[in-house]
Amino acid sequence: MTSTTPPDVAARVEAYIPRFQLTRLLNQDQAGRRISLLGTIDSKPALLIAERAAFATDNAHLSSFPTSLTKIKNLGANDIYAWFLANSNPSSTNGDVPPDFKLNLIYPCTEKHVKKYSAQGLRIVTETPSTYAKYVLPWIRSQREKGTLNWVFNIIEGRTEQEDVIYRESDPQNGFLLLPDLNWDRKTLTSLHLLGLVERRDIWSVRDLKKVDVEWLKHVREKLIGATTKLYPDVEADQLKLYVHYQPTYHHFHIHIVHVQLEAGATQSVGKALGLENIISTLESLGGGEEAGMQDVSLAYHLGEASELWEKVFGVLKEGGEPDVEGF
């Protein structure tokens, strides 16, 4: 980035930074990527806000990026997923330099992963009960039949990541477990992100929740909050936000538990996240008997234009066509 500051002014202000004397940390936000520091420069008060710079995107830098990392430390691995901490500074091999990268590795990845993480346009769709029953449910069923949930079942059945399970309540109908989300660095409490996986396999998404499940949902909510605040005493119950995704990345019901100060990116935005409290309230207010549920309401959410659900269902419907359910 080219500076437009006159050279004499640039030299003067650049000299301020090495003279900054820290007084205290004021804030840490954007999941730990930005810090606000209070200090002094030549005995006068000063604020220094530091944010990690954007990645260089030229091919030369990107090609050398993996080999430039040092002190790579694995945090966990399950099936095709693994996550790490690493340093970008070559000199960090000596001394106690904290990691400045959180890495997620998917290997071998699928075309679905490639589409998910590619830049793409977004569309808002409204999924009616009939659209869900006729098109979306068969698509969800086809996804589960492809075996994409092996990593989830590995955790639930005790084959992997058991050292990460911080709470478990085992029961075929009511059981669930709690573990860190792979996107959390496991140390910054204001960016805390945990995952609650239910043991029962008849709930694939929020669409499968019914009025009969309300008390179960309340029980799970209380247990998840209780386990989180016990494990992290500096976090109080009213500092936690619980939500589910629709559409979720994988179709086995799970609940996200995050610190309320975790900055809301795309995964917490309207059109992706549904608050657990709102889901419970919706179920309680539905007419009909205990079998009435979220399959009876319309849901609006966003889809990437490269997503399979847009390409095979909603994009086809928009053009006036008929989705090929047999081709899912």
Side-chain angles (χ1 to χ4, degrees), residues 53 65 258 296:
F65 173 70
V258 303
D296 302 318

Side-chain angles (χ1 to χ4, degrees), residues 12 20 44 133 163 203 206 213 217 237 251 260 264 275 318-319:
R12 175 171 56 82
F20 183 89
K44 296 179 181 179
E163 68 280 1
I203 301 180
V206 68
D213 297 311
L217 285 172
H251 292 88
V260 72
K318 182 181 180 182
E319 297 300 321

